[in-house]
Amino acid sequence: MIAAQDLHTEFQFPPEAESQLSSDTDLEDPDGKNAKSGKGTAAKKGKKAFGERARGGGAGRVPASGWVNGHHHENGMENMTLFEMIKMGKSATQSVVDDWIEAYKHDRDIALLDLINFFIQCSGCKGAVSGEMFRHMQNSEIIRKMTEEFDEDSGDYPLTLSGPQWKKFRISFCDFIAVLVRQCQYSIIYDEYMMDTVISLLTGLSDSQVRAFRHTSTLAAMKLMTALVNVALNLSINMDNTQRQYEAERNKVAAKRANDRLELLLQKRKELQENQDEIENMMNAIFKGVFVHRYRDAIAEIRAVCIEEIGTWMKLYSDAFLNDSYLKYVGWTMHDKQGEVRLKCLTALQGLFYNRELSTRLELFTSRFKDRIVSMTLDKEYDVAVQAIKLLTLVLQSSDEVLTAEDCESVYHLVYSAHRPIAVSAGEFLFKKLFSHRGPEDEGLPRRGRQSLNGSLIKTTVFFFLESELHEHGAYLVDSLWECGSELLKDWETMISLLLDEPVPGEEALTDRQETALVEIMLCAVRQACECHPPVGRGSGKRVLTAKEKKTQLDDRTRITEMFAVALPLLLAKYCVDIDKVTNLLQIPKYFDLDIYTTGRLEKHLDALLRQIWEVVDKHTDTEVLEACSTTYHYLCNEEFTIFNRVDIARSQLLDELVDKFNRLLEDFLQEGEEPDEDDAYQVLSTLKKISAFHNAHDLSKWDLFTSNYRLLSTGLQNGDMPEQIVIHAMQCTHYIILWHLAKVSDGASVKVLLKLTNKKMKFNVMEMPVNAFTILCDLLLIFSHQIMSSGREQLESLVYTPDSSLQAELLNFILDQVFIDQDDDSNSTDGQQDDEASKIEALHKRRNLLAAYCKLIVYNVVEIDTGADIFKQYMRYYNDYGDIIKETMSKTRQIDKVQCAKTLILSLQKLFNEMLSELGLSFDRSSSAFCGIKELARRFSLTFGLDQLKTREAIAMLHKDGIEFAFKEPSPQGEGSPPLNLAFLDILSEFSSKLLRQDKRTVHMYLERFMTFQMALQREDCWLPLISYRNSLQAGGDDDTMSVISGISSRGSSVRSKKSKPAAASKRKLPEGDSDAAWLNREQSAQTPMMMHSPHLTSTVLRDPKKMRPEDGYAAAQFTMPVEQQHQQPMTPQQQQLMRRSCVVDSRRGSGLMEDDEEPIMEDVMMSSEDRLEDINEGMDFDTMDIDLPASKNRRERTELKPDYFDPSSIMDDSVG
C-alpha cells in the first residue's frame, strides 16, 4: 500500500521511459494474457510511490512531426483538441478514446500533453501547457502558471455553465474518463506512466485555491476512481475464476492432470494479483490525495461529487468498500449544511439499502446514524426530507426491528404535510408499515365485504385517522395514500358493508366516532377518484390527464354511481339525524354520472334518494346540512339529463311546502297586539333558514319572497325587538333575491323589478347591525357601485348607489370597533368559550372576513381611499392577524392612484402622531416605544414603494409635502423661539427620504426652507434635532445623504469591496441626474446615531495582475483601506500590522471570485426541529484514513469484519482541508 506520506502531489515528466505496448491489446484482453507485457522487475515489487514510477525516459523526446503542443496536424489541417471534440459532441466518445490510444502508442508524451491540456481547458482556463513546460516545469509551477491565465472577474467555468450544451458536456466529460480507463484496462494503465501522470496532475489541481481547478479535477478524479473500481471488480472476478480452474485441474488424477496448464494458471493468477496490487495503489493515491480532502471542501458541489461517487463504489464493489471505513464519510456528511450534499448522502444509502444482500451488512451503520436519518425527515430542504423518508421505507423493508415505534410516529404525521412529495413518501412508508403484512390467518378471506382483508385494513386506516387527531384533514390522508393504496381506498363496497351490515358474532362494531371518520374517508376517496387532483394546498392547480388516467377516471365514476345510487338512500336513512355524516353523504351525488340512472334503470333509487333528502330538510335546521341538500338538488336538476323533470317536480313540491309554511308562520308572527313567543320565532327562523339555503343555489323568484322578507325586516326595525338571527337570514334571503334579479339583468322586466326593489330603502344604524349583516351590506354596496355599468351596461346607471359620508363613517367605525380589538376582549366566541383555542381561531376568521369586506370597498373606490388611513395605521400592531390583508389593500390602492395612496399613508402616520401627543403630552421622549413604533411603521411603509424611484416619484414628493406642512402646521404653545408642536414628525418623515431622486431632494429641501425662519436654521438644541436630521437626509451630496455621521464612514470603508464583488453594477439603468446616489439607498438603511458608532471595518481586496504577479506571492497580496478619519488618528502597532496581514490572507481566500479556500466549517444542524447534533464534526480530532485493500479471492481469504471503532468520534479526521 502507498503510505500517505509517500504520496507526491507533483508530477514530474521523466526524461526517458521505456514502454513496449502491444498494438492490439489496449481495447480488449479479457483473460489478461498480454497485460504488463512491458513491465520490468521493478514493477513487480508491489506498491511504489507515483513519484518513483514517473522517473524514466520519454519526456525528452522530440515530438513527432504530426503533433505540436497537443494539436494533431494532418495534411496541413489542424484537428480539434480533446476538449473541443468532447465539447462539440459530434464524435462518439469511444472513437475519441480509440484515436487518443493510437496517438499514445505513437508518442505517449504528446498524447499525454493533449490529455493534460484537456483537464486544464475543461476547468475554463484559457492557457495551455506547452511542450517546454511539459518537460522542465514542476507540477506546482505549472498549476501556478495556469492560475494566472484565469479571468478573475468571471466565476463561470464549463461545469457550472447552464444550458443544454454544457449539461451534455458534463456527461461527455465523465463518459470520456470512464471509457478511457475501460479501453486501457488491459495494458496502458499498468505502464507506470500514463496513470501516474494523470493522478499526480489531478491531485495537484484538486488542492488549488481556484474553485474551477478544484471542482473539475475532483470530478475527474472521482470518475477515474469509479472506473478503476470497475477494473478492480473485473480483476477480482477473473482471479476467482482462475482460482477455481486451478483447483479443479489440481484435483484431477495424476494421469489426467495437465502440468503445463497448471503453470499457465499460476502465472495468470500471479499477473492478475500484480494487476490488482497496481489498481489498489492507484485507488489509494486518489482516495488519500483527493477524496479525504475534498469531501470537506468549502464548495457544496465538490462535496456532493465525492459523496455521490463513494456511494457508487460501495454499491459496485461492496466486498472492498462496504465497510465502516468508508460508510463513516457518508454518515458524517449527513450533517452537511448544504441540502445538495445531504441529498447525495441519502441517495447513496438508498442504493445500498435497496439491495437486500447489502442491507444486511449495514446494521452497525444503521444503529449509529438512524436517529440522524429520522431527523432528516424534517429537513428544511423538501427534496432532502423526501429522500430521507424513502430511505426509511427501504430500511423498514429490510428489517422491521430497526425502527422503533417512536421513529415510525415521527414519519406518520407527515402524511398531513402541505408539501405533496413529502406526504406521498410518508404515505408509502405508512402503507408499508401498517398494510403490507399478511399473516397465515389472512389466507382464504373473501376479496370484498366486511369480512375481507380490506375490511380490517380499512378499519386500521380509520383508527390511524382518529389517533392522529387531525380529523379535518381526511382529504390529505387519502391523497397521501392514493399512489400506493388506491386499490384499498377504492374498495367502496367494503366501506358500505362496514357501515350498513351488522357485525358478525364476536366482531367488534364500529363506534359512532369511527363511523363518522369512515364516511369522511369514503367521501374523500370518491372525490380523489373523480377529480384526479390533490386537495387544496397541495400541488399547483390541475394537471392534464393522460388517456389512461381519463379512462380510469370514467370507470371509477361509473362504479361510484352504480354503487352509491343504491347504497346512498340506505345510508341517509340510517344516519338521517347525524349532522356530520349526512353532510358528507350528501356531497357524494355531485360525482355521479347521472345518465346511469336512466341507462341502468335506477329510477326507483333516485326516488328513494329524493325522499331521503326531503326527510333531511324536514328534520334539520343546521346551515351546513341545508346547504348540502340545496347543492345536491342543484346538481341533480340538470336539464341535459332525462331525470330533470323527476327531480324538478320533487324540488318544486319541497319549496312549495316551505314557502307556504313560511307565509303562514309569518302572518301569525307579525300579528298586531300579540307578542310572539319563542316557539313561533323558532318556527319562523328554521323555515327562513331552509328557504335562504335553497335560494343560494336556486332561483326562487316565482315565489315572490321579497315582499314577505321586506315586511319582516321593516317590522323588526320599527319595533326593535326582532331576534337577531331572523334579521340575519331575512337580509341574507333578500340579498339572494336581488342577486338573482341582477343575474337576469339583460331582460328589461328584470331591470324594472330591480329598480322597484332598490327604491325600497330602509334606514338603520350600522353600529347596531349584526356581523353577518355588515358583510351583506358591503357586498351590496360593491355590487351596486359604479362597477355595475362596466362592460357596456350603461342602462344600469339608475341602479348605481354611492354611500354618503355618514354611511362611510359608520362603516369605518364598525370595523374599528369590531375588528381591531384584543383577543381577550372579543365577545363573539361561540358558547362563551373564551379560552378555547378553536373558538378564538373561528372568531379571528370572522374578523378577517369583516376587514376583507371593507377593504374591498376601498380597493374598488366605493368609499374614499383616505378612509383607509385608519386601517393602515394598524399595520404594525395587528400584523400577525391582518398584515396580509392590509398590505394587499395598500398595494391595490397604489395601483389605482399612487399619489392618493401616498397621501393616505402619511395621513395614517399623522393620526398616530396626534394620538401619541394626546396620550403622552407635548414633552414626550423621542426614544419612547410609541414614537419608535410610528417610526418603524414609516420605515415599513417606505419599503412598500419598492426600488424603482421613477415610478413613485410624484407620490413620494407629495408625501413629503404633506408631511412638512403637518410638521409646521401648529405653532409652539410656548411661544416664538420654540419648535413647532409637530416638529418631531420630521424625524418620522425622514424614513421616506431615501425614496426621493436627487433633484427631488433639492426641491423638497427648498420647500422645507419656505417654512423655516433664519433662527430655525441656526438652532442646535435637542428639540431641533428632527429638523436637523431631516435636512441632512435631503442633502444631495454623497456624504450628507444619510441621517447619521457613521453611515458615510461605513459606506466609504466598504466601497472597495463592493466595487470588486459587484462588477456588473455599472451596467444597470441609470437614474437621471441621480446615478451617483444609487449607493445612498443602501447606506440609508444602516444609518446610526453618532452615539452608536462602530469600530472601523478592515476590508481587504485581492490585487492580482496575471502578468506582474510573482508565482511565489500567490494570492496573498492585499491592500487595506481604512476610513480617512481613522487612519490619521490610529497608528498601528507591529502586532496590529501582523494581525492585519493574517486577516488579509483569510479575506483573500474568501473572495467572491475564483480564489476560494475550503477551510470554513461545512457541517451544521439544518433541521426545523431536531434536538440531536453531531458533536464530533469539529476539526482537530484524530482521524484514521484506511488504505484501500481489495479483498482477495473468497477461496483464499475471508472478508474483513466490520470494525465498530470507525464510528467513534475519535476516528474523525484532522487533515487540513485546503
Side-chain angles (χ1 to χ4, degrees):
M1 296 295 173
I2 295 181
Q5 61 268 23
D6 295 333
L7 179 61
H8 300 283
T9 59
E10 297 184 355
F11 64 93
Q12 299 175 351
F13 296 99
E16 186 66 34
E18 296 182 0
S19 176
Q20 300 176 3
L21 301 176
S22 174
S23 61
D24 57 353
T25 59
D26 297 332
L27 303 182
E28 184 174 5
D29 189 6
D31 297 327
K33 297 178 181 179
N34 299 319
K36 302 168 72 87
S37 59
K39 280 189 178 181
T41 14
K44 300 181 181 181
K45 293 180 180 179
K47 306 167 182 57
K48 297 162 52 180
F50 279 84
E52 299 176 11
R53 294 182 178 183
R55 297 192 180 96
R61 293 183 186 176
V62 178
S65 58
W67 289 80
V68 178
N69 288 342
H71 294 261
H72 179 50
H73 287 259
E74 184 177 353
N75 298 329
M77 299 294 292
E78 182 180 358
N79 291 339
M80 293 185 295
T81 62
L82 278 175
F83 172 73
E84 292 167 342
M85 286 187 287
I86 296 299
K87 176 184 174 183
M88 298 298 293
K90 294 183 178 180
S91 303
T93 307
Q94 181 81 32
S95 62
V96 174
V97 171
D98 291 345
D99 292 343
W100 185 88
I101 290 176
E102 291 300 323
Y104 185 85
K105 293 176 182 178
H106 184 265
D107 191 319
R108 66 182 187 179
D109 295 332
I110 299 301
L112 266 181
L113 182 62
D114 195 21
L115 185 61
I116 290 171
N117 280 315
F118 168 72
F119 291 117
I120 296 295
Q121 292 169 357
C122 286
S123 301
C125 181
K126 306 300 181 183
V129 180
S130 64
E132 185 70 18
M133 297 166 61
F134 183 85
R135 287 188 293 272
H136 301 295
M137 295 181 68
Q138 296 292 324
N139 181 18
S140 58
E141 296 174 340
I142 292 177
I143 294 176
R144 185 180 296 114
K145 183 70 175 175
M146 292 300 100
T147 300
E148 295 174 359
E149 301 293 334
F150 265 103
D151 179 13
E152 186 183 351
D153 293 333
S154 174
D156 294 331
Y157 50 96
L159 292 184
T160 60
L161 291 174
S162 58
Q165 178 188 7
W166 296 110
K167 184 178 181 180
K168 183 178 179 182
F169 168 79
R170 180 188 174 99
I171 298 174
S172 301
F173 175 78
C174 299
D175 289 344
F176 172 79
I177 297 173
V179 174
L180 178 64
V181 174
R182 187 175 72 241
Q183 296 298 95
C184 298
Q185 66 177 314
Y186 299 112
S187 177
I188 292 181
I189 62 174
Y190 302 112
D191 69 354
E192 300 183 351
Y193 184 66
M194 188 270 280
M195 290 298 292
D196 295 8
T197 305
V198 170
I199 292 175
S200 297
L201 169 72
L202 296 179
T203 303
L205 289 175
S206 69
D207 201 39
S208 171
Q209 287 186 350
V210 180
R211 168 179 175 169
F213 276 152
R214 212 162 66 245
H215 188 184
T216 307
S217 60
T218 301
L219 177 62
M222 294 299 99
K223 293 297 180 181
L224 184 64
M225 178 81 167
T226 302
L228 290 175
V229 169
N230 279 299
V231 174
L233 183 60
N234 291 334
L235 287 174
S236 177
I237 294 173
N238 288 333
M239 287 181 63
D240 287 342
N241 293 337
T242 304
Q243 181 69 19
R244 284 196 298 270
Q245 293 174 9
Y246 175 79
E247 292 179 355
E249 189 68 27
R250 189 182 62 179
N251 291 334
K252 292 181 180 179
V253 295
K256 296 183 179 181
R257 185 185 305 157
N259 292 328
D260 55 344
R261 177 170 172 77
L262 286 175
E263 293 179 1
L264 183 62
L265 290 172
L266 283 174
Q267 180 64 26
K268 181 179 178 181
R269 189 180 68 179
K270 184 177 180 182
E271 291 180 359
L272 290 173
Q273 182 61 48
E274 291 176 354
N275 290 349
Q276 189 180 49
D277 293 342
E278 288 291 320
I279 298 299
E280 287 183 17
N281 210 14
M282 298 174 194
M283 291 194 297
N284 268 306
I286 297 175
F287 188 80
K288 293 182 178 181
V290 180
F291 179 88
V292 297
H293 299 289
R294 299 280 69 80
Y295 97 97
R296 301 177 67 210
D297 195 278
I299 305 304
E301 292 90 339
I302 298 177
R303 304 197 298 272
V305 166
C306 294
I307 296 303
E308 182 179 14
E309 293 306 312
I310 196 175
T312 304
W313 308 337
M314 290 186 287
K315 185 177 179 181
L316 286 177
Y317 201 177
S318 58
D319 288 342
F321 290 96
L322 190 57
N323 55 62
D324 300 352
S325 305
Y326 303 99
L327 283 170
K328 62 185 178 184
Y329 297 107
V330 180
W332 292 338
T333 316
M334 284 194 293
H335 292 264
D336 195 284
K337 67 180 180 181
Q338 293 295 328
E340 176 187 1
V341 184
R342 301 194 300 274
L343 187 64
K344 292 298 182 183
C345 294
L346 294 172
T347 52
L349 292 173
Q350 285 176 15
L352 301 177
F353 278 98
Y354 187 78
N355 189 326
R356 289 294 183 92
E357 295 181 359
L358 299 182
S359 62
T360 57
R361 296 157 61 179
L362 294 166
E363 293 179 359
L364 182 59
F365 174 86
T366 306
S367 63
R368 172 64 177 83
F369 291 102
K370 180 197 65 174
D371 292 341
R372 174 58 182 166
I373 298 173
V374 172
S375 67
M376 290 175 77
T377 60
L378 297 176
D379 197 278
K380 64 181 180 181
E381 300 288 342
Y382 287 140
D383 293 341
V384 177
V386 169
Q387 298 305 322
I389 298 171
K390 290 183 177 180
L391 177 58
L392 289 176
T393 305
L394 293 174
V395 173
L396 183 67
Q397 290 178 343
S398 63
S399 175
D400 290 337
E401 301 175 356
V402 175
L403 299 178
T404 64
E406 184 179 354
D407 296 334
C408 295
E409 288 174 2
S410 64
V411 182
Y412 289 161
H413 75 275
L414 294 176
V415 297
Y416 298 105
S417 171
H419 189 256
R420 191 167 192 269
I422 291 179
V424 171
S425 301
E428 182 181 359
F429 179 90
L430 174 65
F431 191 82
K432 297 286 185 185
K433 178 66 177 178
L434 299 183
F435 306 135
S436 298
H437 302 286
R438 299 191 178 184
E441 65 278 2
D442 297 329
E443 301 296 334
L445 294 177
R447 293 184 65 254
R448 304 287 182 184
R450 189 184 188 96
Q451 303 301 319
S452 64
L453 176 62
N454 279 354
S456 61
L457 296 180
I458 291 172
K459 288 182 181 179
T460 304
T461 307
V462 172
F463 299 155
F464 172 81
F465 179 50
L466 293 176
E467 289 176 2
S468 64
E469 297 182 356
L470 292 169
H471 314 320
E472 298 179 2
H473 298 77
Y476 291 87
L477 174 61
V478 170
D479 181 58
S480 301
L481 294 172
W482 194 256
E483 292 189 8
C484 57
S486 59
E487 183 179 355
L488 172 65
L489 295 172
K490 288 181 182 180
D491 191 359
W492 298 294
E493 181 181 348
T494 301
M495 296 182 187
I496 294 171
S497 176
L498 287 171
L499 291 170
L500 292 179
D501 296 346
E502 293 295 329
V504 298
E507 180 187 3
E508 186 176 354
L510 294 176
T511 64
D512 179 71
R513 187 163 171 257
Q514 292 168 352
E515 288 179 337
T516 302
L518 178 56
V519 170
E520 182 176 353
I521 291 174
M522 182 173 65
L523 169 64
C524 295
V526 169
R527 180 190 298 118
Q528 188 85 9
C530 293
E531 295 182 351
C532 294
H533 65 79
V536 177
R538 281 189 184 172
S540 54
K542 297 180 180 179
R543 62 182 181 87
V544 179
L545 301 180
T546 63
K548 183 178 180 181
E549 289 173 336
K550 288 181 179 178
K551 184 179 183 304
T552 303
Q553 182 186 30
L554 292 175
D555 293 342
D556 289 339
R557 193 175 183 187
T558 301
R559 283 187 57 231
I560 290 169
T561 307
E562 293 174 346
M563 198 173 300
F564 284 96
V566 178
L568 188 57
L570 301 176
L571 291 170
L572 288 174
K574 180 175 181 180
Y575 301 112
C576 184
V577 296
D578 192 306
I579 294 176
D580 294 332
K581 296 185 183 69
V582 169
T583 303
N584 287 328
L585 289 172
L586 285 173
Q587 295 183 49
I588 295 178
K590 67 181 178 181
Y591 303 106
F592 283 0
D593 181 0
L594 299 182
D595 277 331
I596 296 180
Y597 270 117
T598 305
T599 58
R601 299 182 180 276
L602 301 175
E603 290 87 350
K604 65 177 183 178
H605 298 290
L606 176 61
D607 294 337
L609 176 62
L610 296 175
R611 285 196 301 271
Q612 291 302 324
I613 295 177
W614 191 316
E615 290 291 330
V616 171
V617 173
D618 184 57
K619 293 181 178 179
H620 286 273
T621 58
D622 184 80
T623 303
E624 291 186 7
V625 176
L626 296 175
E627 288 181 352
C629 295
S630 175
T631 305
T632 304
Y633 266 115
H634 176 71
Y635 179 74
L636 295 176
C637 286
N638 193 329
E639 297 181 2
E640 297 179 1
F641 299 99
T642 56
I643 65 171
F644 170 73
N645 290 332
R646 188 186 299 263
V647 180
D648 185 48
I649 292 173
R651 179 185 61 176
S652 299
Q653 292 174 349
L654 174 61
L655 291 174
D656 283 339
E657 181 178 327
L658 289 176
V659 173
D660 290 342
K661 182 179 180 181
F662 175 68
N663 291 330
R664 186 175 62 255
L665 291 172
L666 188 62
E667 289 296 331
D668 297 338
F669 186 71
L670 297 179
Q671 281 184 358
E672 295 183 5
E674 294 185 10
E675 187 172 340
D677 57 13
E678 293 184 3
D679 261 350
D680 294 338
Y682 175 78
Q683 292 291 334
V684 171
L685 176 60
S686 61
T687 309
L688 187 58
K689 288 175 68 175
K690 296 173 184 179
I691 293 176
S692 180
F694 272 86
H695 213 337
N696 187 10
H698 304 270
D699 184 9
L700 308 185
S701 302
K702 63 179 182 180
W703 280 275
D704 190 21
L705 292 168
F706 181 81
T707 303
S708 55
N709 278 278
Y710 181 78
R711 181 185 172 194
L712 180 63
L713 285 173
S714 59
T715 304
L717 291 172
Q718 290 174 3
N719 299 334
D721 58 351
M722 187 68 66
E724 181 179 303
Q725 289 299 314
I726 292 181
V727 174
I728 290 175
H729 286 88
M731 292 190 67
Q732 188 75 58
C733 190
T734 307
H735 179 55
Y736 292 146
I737 293 170
I738 295 175
L739 292 182
W740 276 109
H741 282 288
L742 188 62
K744 300 183 294 183
V745 77
S746 58
D747 183 8
S750 297
V751 177
K752 294 180 180 179
V753 173
L754 271 175
L755 286 173
K756 179 182 178 182
L757 297 181
T758 52
N759 285 333
K760 294 184 178 181
K761 300 178 181 178
M762 292 182 293
K763 297 291 183 180
F764 47 83
N765 186 357
V766 176
M767 299 305 296
E768 298 177 358
M769 292 173 54
V771 173
N772 305 61
F774 178 85
T775 306
I776 295 172
L777 178 60
C778 289
D779 289 344
L780 288 175
L781 290 175
L782 183 60
I783 292 170
F784 290 99
S785 66
H786 58 87
Q787 306 281 345
I788 198 174
M789 295 189 300
S790 60
S791 303
R793 293 178 294 190
E794 289 78 7
Q795 72 274 16
L796 300 180
E797 182 178 1
S798 56
L799 295 177
V800 174
Y801 177 78
T802 302
D804 54 23
S805 58
S806 61
L807 179 56
Q808 293 186 33
E810 289 185 28
L811 291 172
L812 178 60
N813 291 332
F814 183 88
I815 285 294
L816 296 178
D817 291 343
Q818 298 292 330
V819 174
F820 296 106
I821 57 177
D822 293 333
Q823 187 76 270
D824 296 335
D825 297 337
D826 181 25
S827 59
N828 295 326
S829 298
T830 58
D831 298 332
Q833 297 176 349
Q834 297 291 337
D835 298 330
D836 186 16
E837 193 67 25
S839 63
K840 289 183 178 181
I841 294 174
E842 181 64 24
L844 175 60
H845 180 66
K846 291 180 179 179
R847 293 197 300 271
R848 285 174 58 86
N849 286 339
L850 290 175
L851 180 60
Y854 182 77
C855 287
K856 282 192 294 184
L857 300 181
I858 299 176
V859 170
Y860 287 98
N861 268 332
V862 178
V863 298
E864 299 295 335
I865 291 181
D866 56 9
T867 60
D870 288 287
I871 305 296
F872 297 160
K873 73 179 184 181
Q874 310 288 350
Y875 182 63
M876 288 293 296
R877 181 178 178 185
Y878 295 94
Y879 181 81
N880 292 333
D881 293 340
Y882 317 117
D884 54 337
I885 300 176
I886 299 176
K887 186 175 182 180
E888 184 67 16
T889 305
M890 286 191 287
S891 175
K892 294 296 184 182
T893 53
R894 186 174 292 115
Q895 295 175 16
I896 298 172
D897 191 335
K898 293 184 177 65
V899 174
Q900 189 60 37
C901 177
K903 294 170 74 69
T904 304
L905 292 179
I906 201 67
L907 178 60
S908 65
L909 295 173
Q910 294 169 7
K911 287 177 176 289
L912 286 175
F913 187 84
N914 288 332
E915 292 174 4
M916 181 194 67
L917 287 181
S918 61
E919 180 180 351
L920 300 181
L922 302 181
S923 58
F924 66 91
D925 185 2
R926 286 191 295 117
S927 63
S928 63
S929 59
F931 185 83
C932 292
I934 302 175
K935 193 173 175 64
E936 174 63 17
L937 179 61
R939 188 186 71 83
R940 295 288 188 96
F941 284 168
S942 175
L943 293 176
T944 62
F945 283 95
L947 298 178
D948 194 337
Q949 294 170 300
L950 288 177
K951 288 184 178 180
T952 60
R953 181 179 184 181
E954 183 181 0
I956 291 294
M958 292 302 298
L959 184 146
H960 280 271
K961 177 179 177 295
D962 289 357
I964 292 172
E965 292 175 354
F966 175 77
F968 291 92
K969 181 179 179 181
E970 298 290 340
S972 173
Q974 300 175 3
E976 189 176 353
S978 299
L981 180 64
N982 300 333
L983 186 69
F985 190 78
L986 293 178
D987 201 2
I988 298 170
L989 189 61
S990 61
E991 294 290 343
F992 298 93
S993 297
S994 63
K995 300 302 179 183
L996 286 168
L997 296 177
R998 168 175 290 195
Q999 59 270 35
D1000 291 342
K1001 287 183 180 180
R1002 290 196 292 267
T1003 303
V1004 172
H1005 187 268
M1006 294 174 59
Y1007 187 75
L1008 174 66
E1009 290 180 340
R1010 292 172 53 185
F1011 293 85
M1012 294 173 54
T1013 62
F1014 180 74
Q1015 289 78 11
M1016 289 183 182
L1018 301 177
Q1019 298 294 336
R1020 289 295 181 268
E1021 289 84 358
D1022 288 345
C1023 59
W1024 293 94
L1025 281 179
L1027 177 60
I1028 298 172
S1029 175
Y1030 184 58
R1031 289 187 66 193
N1032 290 337
S1033 70
L1034 296 177
Q1035 297 297 323
D1039 292 337
D1040 296 329
D1041 280 355
T1042 57
M1043 294 181 293
S1044 66
V1045 179
I1046 186 62
S1047 59
I1049 298 175
S1050 62
S1051 63
R1052 289 195 298 273
S1054 61
S1055 60
V1056 178
R1057 180 180 299 174
S1058 63
K1059 291 179 181 178
K1060 193 68 179 176
S1061 61
K1062 297 184 179 179
S1067 63
K1068 296 183 179 179
R1069 179 170 59 87
K1070 297 182 179 179
L1071 297 175
E1073 301 182 22
D1075 52 351
S1076 63
D1077 284 349
W1080 187 89
L1081 285 171
N1082 297 327
R1083 294 200 301 269
E1084 188 274 334
Q1085 299 297 335
S1086 61
Q1088 300 166 355
T1089 62
M1091 296 301 295
M1092 299 180 65
M1093 183 179 297
H1094 289 298
S1095 301
H1097 297 286
L1098 298 180
T1099 61
S1100 66
T1101 56
V1102 178
L1103 296 178
R1104 186 184 69 81
D1105 188 342
K1107 298 180 181 179
K1108 297 180 181 180
M1109 178 177 285
R1110 294 174 298 174
E1112 60 269 22
D1113 290 341
Y1115 283 82
Q1119 173 181 338
F1120 287 91
T1121 342
M1122 291 182 63
V1124 178
E1125 296 85 349
Q1126 302 285 336
Q1127 289 178 354
H1128 300 294
Q1129 299 175 10
Q1130 299 181 7
M1132 290 184 294
T1133 64
Q1135 292 82 359
Q1136 290 174 328
Q1137 294 175 357
Q1138 185 178 6
L1139 177 61
M1140 291 175 64
R1141 294 192 194 99
R1142 292 178 181 174
S1143 62
C1144 170
V1145 176
V1146 174
D1147 285 348
S1148 66
R1149 291 182 178 180
R1150 301 194 186 281
S1152 59
L1154 293 170
M1155 302 305 300
E1156 297 173 0
D1157 201 3
D1158 53 0
E1159 294 185 357
E1160 66 179 58
I1162 54 108
M1163 310 296 185
E1164 69 173 11
D1165 194 352
V1166 292
M1167 308 310 299
M1168 292 185 290
S1169 59
S1170 174
E1171 298 178 357
D1172 298 331
R1173 181 179 180 88
L1174 192 66
E1175 299 176 354
D1176 51 3
I1177 298 302
N1178 299 325
E1179 298 180 5
M1181 294 187 178
D1182 294 334
F1183 176 78
D1184 187 11
T1185 302
M1186 295 296 298
D1187 286 335
I1188 297 176
D1189 188 7
L1190 297 179
S1193 171
K1194 294 181 180 179
N1195 296 331
R1196 296 189 294 114
R1197 188 169 58 180
E1198 295 296 330
R1199 183 173 63 87
T1200 306
E1201 294 294 331
L1202 292 177
K1203 302 177 180 180
D1205 59 316
Y1206 289 116
F1207 289 148
D1208 190 81
S1210 63
S1211 65
I1212 301 180
M1213 68 178 181
D1214 61 351
D1215 296 279
S1216 62
V1217 181

